[in-house]
Amino acid sequence: VSSILIRDGWIVTPKGEGVQVIQEGAVAIEGSKIVAVGRSEDMGSKGSYEITIDASKKAILPGFIDAHIHTSLSLVRGLAQDVAESEWMHRTVGPFTRHYDRDTALVGSKLCVLEAIKSGTTCFCDYGAFMSHLGREVFAKSGVRADICTTINEMGTGPRRAGELYEFDADIGEEKIKSNLELIQTLHGTADGRITCHFGPQAADMMSKELLLRVKELAQEYNVPIHMHIAQGGRERAQMTKRYGMSTVQFLRKIDYLSQNLIAVHCHDSTEEEIQTLVQNGVRMVGCPGSIGLIDGVVPPLQDFISAGGTAALGSDQCPPDGHNMFSQMKYAAILNKVKHQDPTVLPSWKVFRLATIEAAKCHGLGDKVGSLEVGKKADVILLNLDSPHLTPRLGRPIRNIVPNIVHLATGSEVSTVIVDGHIIMDDSQVRTMDEKRVVSDAQDTAEELARRAEADVIEADSGLVRMMREGRL
Amino acid sequence: VSSILIRDGWIVTPKGEGVQVIQEGAVAIEGSKIVAVGRSEDMGSKGSYEITIDASKKAILPGFIDAHIHTSLSLVRGLAQDVAESEWMHRTVGPFTRHYDRDTALVGSKLCVLEAIKSGTTCFCDYGAFMSHLGREVFAKSGVRADICTTINEMGTGPRRAGELYEFDADIGEEKIKSNLELIQTLHGTADGRITCHFGPQAADMMSKELLLRVKELAQEYNVPIHMHIAQGGRERAQMTKRYGMSTVQFLRKIDYLSQNLIAVHCHDSTEEEIQTLVQNGVRMVGCPGSIGLIDGVVPPLQDFISAGGTAALGSDQCPPDGHNMFSQMKYAAILNKVKHQDPTVLPSWKVFRLATIEAAKCHGLGDKVGSLEVGKKADVILLNLDSPHLTPRLGRPIRNIVPNIVHLATGSEVSTVIVDGHIIMDDSQVRTMDEKRVVSDAQDTAEELARRAEADVIEADSGLVRMMREGRL
């Protein structure tokens, strides 16, 4: 199809500084691009488009950008929460993920991407292993947009001893940086430009200073961003303090790592001054309120970062509440920052909506391409049924409740149509580029097999969840 | 239908102290009651039941109990959030609700009950005006269970002056107490016992001490509970301090109002000592984490109340995020209490699940009737599709992820079947006792009419949302 007219819906653009809602609006698409956005009545006759979509009682939105996601980890959900932060990584997730292989990652990634498309995500900033494989087999084939990297660290996968410094394994670092390089060399700019790549050093505590600096040089050479977990909490702080005698932000400033090229994920274990330092150096931030709230009991400092003038975005991270669904991330960003600051005016709906769309695009350097419905941008567009009971009523005056209801009330299941790069990849709430039933049943089978392989390690790790199993609480 | 067998699902009972999951379990219903709960293989042949429901890949759960809800207010959603606490009641909600009439309330209530049934709520502890009308026209006819009261206060509906004591109008108090009495006299125990009634004094700052004490006497006379908003925040504190020189809890203790007969909603503006006082006096608590987080930027003290040994429940209140959906309330209870205490082990999924089921039943004095799947209890049962992408995988070992995934991941749209009092009121995700399209379109029309009536008042109130409208942020 080369031309589509979507008409008579509530458009949330969000162009300029606000949300710029257009009632009874239309979006025209030619090829991969948006060629017109305006009132339906000003958009010419139906006849000149190959497909016309009636969007009355619907919202027309830019597709959501998930600015930080680990798609392959969807298979371990429900298996690592409600435990202490000190247990989470090495005693609940780790015993499962160390049994991951290329096939496990593929099946997990497909499941995640399926559920995310169904809730309106069109761009995936994925972070993980086997990423070239996922790039070709999941992102290219499902038709979504992706900005991806390989996790680089120098960590083995064995059990960790509490309180001791991680031992770095240079061979592992070498292998992973090679894998990230190969990803960039082979996939950056492919699939009609839908796939872009960058570097993914996992965290300052998980690799040597030397490897971190090599990544920085390579990022300059290839002119791509660096996407990195920063100030993740107690585990990281303990390592950084023991190894370098300073916090991650202090360390990164010292080695001249803070720049406009850095996308910093999480940032919750940082002082107000450190947030200022990040912003002043042009660092962009991704907050993952759902996963971090659930796993760590912590609120990402989105409000602080934005107040300081920084560019911030939302990510679903791994195994978040509600699944990989940007509607939930908007809601959690809003409510969690409101309670953190004990101020219900913090992160109003119009601002939160931007964090999942245009600000996220800017965060990943995609601001001229996607993130808003504007002429000349790529046609990544979703439609949302507004006549679901819980999104009723739709009012334009005296208060227009469309954006508040999209942010605070939509659950994602109302998304009916998803268009990426001008192609309809979902309509009637059915994803056309994936075999939904097959993806789900493969995920079930693969997870059962993973659980069998991991069982002995899980029991040995004896986490809070293993104890709850013994006590009949699960 | 007089007998139903639901078989081969994951039953979450939650009997006893934990959740008591039964894999490949079955629930047998005869008339309005549960007659057997166990493993499918132990439950006899299919032939002996009029209806057999295959629940493989599904969860079988007790219907959710929404322990505090204002069903009629669904029409004002999206119209009152992201503003200061001081503005919320009198400058955003008030200008709309003062134009409510009996028909507005009915249409709003139907919309709310529809969306709540669709997400698995079977028992509504509704609080509001026109309650006899809602009891007959909404709760009795839709087939749900309801434990309801009339809002009693002595407040006129006009604008309020900041900083001044509310003027009480005894005539209004008289009219409202009469209405609540009439509700109890005519509807308590009706609709095969599905409808029960109690008293609803709105708050200690909104009525005279004399009227409060009259309610207490009447509650004893009729042997029904008192359901009351307590320690709601700054507005209430200012009134109580000015009028009585003490906090609400101190005042209620002084007038001997704290007892096992009191259901206290919210309680967030209270000290640790006051929480202890409530618990020690047998008061039960309802927390409404979604609505209070969004409106007030505050976390209900559920963890504190439970730790002190109290019985607590969840309510969706009014215009909560995600709509009137107890899955969301479970999620918000968990994540908000985790971040409040900066401890991810707070309110684990098994505990939260109980707050929306068996603990909620106990809270409203319905613990011997509903809230768990046990022989002899009323057959209020819901089925949940577990093979949705975001609820996949389902694992039984080494960690059973069914309850964590129901609490942290289900959004409510996965509910396929709802049974109340042994009657199937929803199957195939369609509510059979309501005309879904009609309810939604009536709500849209009625809300548009309400918005027209309220427009001048809304503009005059000049809330933060009116200012956002002027600035193009909505």
Side-chain angles (χ1 to χ4, degrees):
Chain A
V1 170
S2 66
S3 69
I4 304 174
L5 179 67
I6 309 167
R7 52 180 297 148
D8 299 336
W10 290 88
I11 302 178
V12 185
T13 53
K15 200 177 152 180
E17 295 299 308
V19 281
Q20 297 268 8
V21 172
I22 303 171
Q23 187 168 355
E24 290 175 33
V27 173
I29 298 168
E30 299 262 0
S32 68
K33 289 195 171 173
I34 294 169
V35 294
V37 179
R39 304 250 320 160
S40 290
E41 59 189 24
D42 304 329
M43 295 285 275
S45 74
K46 285 187 184 183
S48 45
Y49 298 89
E50 287 178 48
I51 292 183
T52 299
I53 299 175
D54 174 13
S56 56
K57 303 186 185 177
K58 294 190 181 190
I60 308 172
L61 313 176
F64 291 112
I65 297 166
D66 194 324
H68 181 73
I69 182 170
H70 302 281
T71 61
S72 64
L73 297 183
S74 65
L75 299 184
V76 299
R77 63 183 145 206
L79 304 174
Q81 67 290 309
D82 298 334
V83 296
E85 192 228 11
S86 58
E87 289 201 331
W88 177 78
M89 182 173 280
H90 303 314
R91 293 173 72 185
T92 59
V93 178
F96 285 99
T97 54
R98 84 175 68 117
H99 293 279
Y100 256 63
D101 58 24
R102 201 173 113 112
D103 290 339
T104 327
L106 180 71
V107 170
S109 179
K110 281 186 182 171
L111 178 71
C112 173
V113 169
L114 172 64
E115 76 193 35
I117 293 173
K118 289 175 84 75
S119 53
T121 301
T122 54
C123 182
F124 294 76
C125 301
D126 197 15
Y127 205 110
F130 313 109
M131 195 53 77
S132 296
H133 192 46
L134 306 186
R136 287 189 187 89
E137 297 301 317
V138 184
F139 300 117
K141 289 187 179 172
S142 65
V144 299
R145 196 174 299 283
D147 187 36
I148 54 185
C149 62
T150 298
T151 308
I152 301 170
N153 62 34
E154 294 181 287
M155 311 263 290
T157 54
R160 317 262 160 228
R161 278 154 301 205
E164 286 187 20
L165 274 183
Y166 302 147
E167 271 180 42
F168 294 146
D169 181 332
D171 290 347
I172 288 175
E174 204 54 45
E175 188 193 311
K176 291 187 173 175
I177 204 167
K178 200 177 133 200
S179 168
N180 201 150
L181 253 178
E182 188 196 293
L183 176 78
I184 294 170
Q185 287 161 347
T186 58
L187 287 185
H188 188 52
T190 61
D192 303 325
R194 280 191 287 111
I195 297 182
T196 50
C197 306
H198 54 269
F199 282 99
Q202 188 169 1
D205 62 324
M206 293 186 173
M207 56 202 300
S208 64
K209 188 171 89 173
E210 292 66 38
L211 191 61
L212 266 177
L213 291 171
R214 258 183 74 200
V215 169
K216 186 183 164 192
E217 268 175 41
L218 286 167
Q220 283 167 340
E221 186 184 331
Y222 284 86
N223 193 27
V224 295
I226 295 173
H227 181 179
M228 185 170 167
H229 303 87
I230 287 180
Q232 296 191 73
R235 292 184 309 274
E236 177 177 335
R237 174 171 291 269
Q239 292 284 322
M240 294 302 290
T241 306
K242 192 157 186 174
R243 196 182 297 275
Y244 301 112
M246 60 185 89
S247 73
T248 298
V249 174
Q250 289 164 346
F251 171 74
L252 292 176
R253 179 158 71 168
K254 194 175 161 212
I255 67 168
D256 199 22
Y257 221 77
L258 303 179
S259 79
Q260 291 189 359
N261 207 38
L262 183 62
I263 301 164
V265 184
H266 300 320
C267 305
H268 47 265
D269 189 30
S270 54
T271 64
E272 269 182 53
E273 199 191 339
E274 287 174 342
I275 294 288
Q276 296 279 351
T277 299
L278 293 174
V279 172
Q280 282 158 11
N281 283 277
V283 175
R284 294 158 272 169
M285 174 189 165
V286 184
C288 306
S291 84
I292 293 304
L294 185 57
I295 295 169
D296 291 328
V298 170
V299 181
L302 285 159
Q303 168 67 9
D304 298 330
F305 201 91
I306 294 166
S307 298
T311 296
L314 303 179
S316 69
D317 202 9
Q318 56 76 58
C319 305
D322 293 329
H324 294 278
N325 176 327
M326 295 306 292
F327 288 95
S328 297
Q329 296 313 312
M330 291 195 290
K331 260 175 284 204
Y332 288 119
I335 201 166
L336 290 172
N337 276 275
K338 287 176 195 300
V339 305
K340 179 182 176 180
H341 294 275
Q342 295 189 31
D343 179 356
T345 68
V346 158
L347 291 188
S349 52
W350 66 270
K351 218 179 245 190
V352 174
F353 185 84
R354 294 179 60 90
L355 297 184
T357 54
I358 184 63
E359 301 298 329
K362 290 180 190 166
C363 179
H364 272 271
L366 301 169
D368 54 350
K369 228 165 135 179
V370 292
S372 60
L373 301 179
E374 294 185 72
V375 171
K377 284 204 171 178
K378 291 290 185 180
D380 292 6
V381 186
I382 66 171
L383 301 186
L384 185 76
N385 288 325
L386 293 177
D387 66 344
S388 312
H390 62 288
L391 295 183
T392 301
R394 306 171 296 285
L395 294 175
R397 56 187 291 184
I399 303 296
R400 193 185 294 117
N401 67 354
I402 304 302
V403 173
N405 284 359
I406 289 169
V407 168
H408 295 304
L409 283 152
T411 65
S413 60
E414 313 84 355
V415 175
S416 60
T417 304
V418 176
I419 299 171
V420 181
D421 218 41
H423 296 279
I424 299 173
I425 65 168
M426 180 169 102
D427 57 5
D428 291 331
S429 299
Q430 294 298 306
V431 177
R432 302 303 172 186
T433 53
M434 300 177 100
D435 179 341
E436 292 198 16
K437 287 200 166 168
R438 176 75 189 276
V439 168
V440 171
S441 70
D442 283 355
Q444 178 64 28
D445 295 344
T446 303
E448 285 177 14
E449 174 55 32
L450 174 69
R452 278 190 288 273
R453 290 202 300 271
E455 178 148 0
D457 283 1
V458 170
I459 301 298
E460 197 196 325
D462 197 36
S463 71
L465 290 169
V466 174
R467 294 190 296 274
M468 285 185 218
M469 282 293 284
R470 275 203 302 271
E471 294 160 6
R473 310 279 177 181
L474 281 181
Chain B
V1 172
S2 66
S3 68
I4 303 173
L5 179 67
I6 309 167
R7 52 180 297 148
D8 300 336
W10 291 88
I11 302 179
V12 185
T13 53
K15 200 178 152 181
E17 295 299 308
V19 281
Q20 296 271 10
V21 173
I22 303 172
Q23 189 168 355
E24 289 175 34
V27 173
I29 299 167
E30 299 262 359
S32 68
K33 288 197 172 173
I34 295 169
V35 294
V37 179
R39 304 252 317 160
S40 290
E41 58 189 26
D42 304 330
M43 296 285 276
S45 73
K46 285 186 185 182
S48 45
Y49 298 90
E50 288 179 47
I51 291 183
T52 300
I53 299 175
D54 174 14
S56 55
K57 303 186 184 177
K58 295 190 181 187
I60 308 172
L61 313 176
F64 291 113
I65 297 165
D66 194 325
H68 181 74
I69 181 169
H70 302 280
T71 61
S72 65
L73 296 183
S74 65
L75 298 184
V76 299
R77 63 183 144 206
L79 304 174
Q81 67 291 306
D82 298 335
V83 295
E85 192 228 11
S86 57
E87 289 201 330
W88 176 77
M89 181 172 282
H90 302 313
R91 294 173 70 186
T92 60
V93 178
F96 284 100
T97 54
R98 84 174 67 117
H99 294 277
Y100 256 62
D101 57 24
R102 201 174 115 111
D103 291 338
T104 327
L106 180 71
V107 170
S109 178
K110 281 186 181 171
L111 179 70
C112 173
V113 169
L114 172 65
E115 76 193 35
I117 294 173
K118 290 176 83 74
S119 53
T121 301
T122 54
C123 181
F124 294 76
C125 301
D126 198 15
Y127 204 111
F130 313 109
M131 194 55 74
S132 297
H133 192 46
L134 306 187
R136 287 189 187 88
E137 297 301 318
V138 184
F139 299 117
K141 291 188 177 171
S142 66
V144 299
R145 194 173 301 283
D147 187 35
I148 56 186
C149 62
T150 298
T151 307
I152 301 170
N153 63 32
E154 292 183 287
M155 311 263 289
T157 54
R160 315 264 161 229
R161 278 154 302 206
E164 288 187 19
L165 273 184
Y166 303 147
E167 273 179 41
F168 295 146
D169 181 331
D171 290 346
I172 288 176
E174 205 53 45
E175 187 192 314
K176 291 187 175 178
I177 205 167
K178 198 176 135 205
S179 168
N180 200 347
L181 254 178
E182 188 196 294
L183 176 78
I184 293 169
Q185 287 162 346
T186 59
L187 287 184
H188 188 52
T190 61
D192 302 323
R194 282 191 286 111
I195 296 182
T196 50
C197 307
H198 54 269
F199 282 99
Q202 187 168 2
D205 62 325
M206 294 187 172
M207 56 204 296
S208 64
K209 189 172 87 173
E210 292 65 35
L211 191 61
L212 265 177
L213 291 172
R214 257 182 74 202
V215 169
K216 187 185 163 191
E217 269 174 43
L218 286 166
Q220 282 167 340
E221 185 182 333
Y222 284 86
N223 194 26
V224 297
I226 296 173
H227 181 177
M228 184 171 170
H229 303 87
I230 288 181
Q232 297 191 76
R235 292 183 310 273
E236 177 177 335
R237 174 171 292 270
Q239 292 285 322
M240 294 302 291
T241 305
K242 193 157 185 171
R243 194 181 299 274
Y244 302 110
M246 60 186 90
S247 72
T248 299
V249 174
Q250 289 164 347
F251 171 74
L252 292 176
R253 180 157 70 168
K254 194 175 162 211
I255 66 167
D256 198 22
Y257 221 77
L258 304 179
S259 78
Q260 290 188 3
N261 206 38
L262 183 62
I263 301 165
V265 184
H266 301 320
C267 306
H268 48 264
D269 190 31
S270 55
T271 63
E272 268 179 54
E273 199 191 339
E274 287 174 343
I275 294 287
Q276 296 280 350
T277 299
L278 293 174
V279 171
Q280 281 157 12
N281 283 280
V283 174
R284 294 157 273 168
M285 173 189 167
V286 184
C288 306
S291 85
I292 293 303
L294 185 57
I295 294 169
D296 291 328
V298 170
V299 180
L302 285 158
Q303 169 67 9
D304 298 330
F305 201 90
I306 295 166
S307 298
T311 296
L314 303 179
S316 69
D317 202 9
Q318 56 76 56
C319 304
D322 294 328
H324 294 278
N325 176 328
M326 294 307 291
F327 289 95
S328 296
Q329 296 313 313
M330 292 195 288
K331 260 176 285 205
Y332 288 118
I335 201 166
L336 289 172
N337 276 275
K338 286 174 195 298
V339 305
K340 179 181 178 182
H341 294 276
Q342 295 192 29
D343 179 357
T345 68
V346 158
L347 291 190
S349 51
W350 67 270
K351 217 177 248 189
V352 174
F353 185 84
R354 293 178 60 90
L355 297 183
T357 53
I358 184 62
E359 301 298 331
K362 290 180 191 167
C363 180
H364 272 271
L366 301 169
D368 54 348
K369 227 165 136 182
V370 292
S372 59
L373 302 179
E374 294 185 72
V375 171
K377 284 203 171 179
K378 292 290 185 180
D380 292 6
V381 186
I382 66 171
L383 302 186
L384 184 77
N385 288 324
L386 294 177
D387 66 343
S388 311
H390 62 286
L391 295 182
T392 302
R394 308 170 295 285
L395 294 175
R397 54 184 295 185
I399 303 296
R400 194 185 294 117
N401 67 355
I402 304 303
V403 173
N405 284 0
I406 289 170
V407 169
H408 295 304
L409 283 152
T411 64
S413 60
E414 313 83 355
V415 175
S416 60
T417 303
V418 175
I419 298 171
V420 181
D421 218 40
H423 295 279
I424 298 173
I425 66 167
M426 179 169 102
D427 57 4
D428 292 332
S429 300
Q430 295 297 308
V431 177
R432 302 303 172 186
T433 53
M434 300 177 99
D435 179 341
E436 293 200 14
K437 287 199 169 169
R438 177 77 189 277
V439 168
V440 170
S441 70
D442 283 355
Q444 178 65 30
D445 295 345
T446 302
E448 285 177 13
E449 176 54 33
L450 174 68
R452 277 190 289 274
R453 290 203 299 271
E455 178 148 359
D457 283 0
V458 170
I459 301 299
E460 195 194 328
D462 197 36
S463 71
L465 289 169
V466 174
R467 295 190 294 274
M468 284 186 220
M469 282 292 284
R470 276 203 302 271
E471 293 159 7
R473 311 278 176 181
L474 280 181

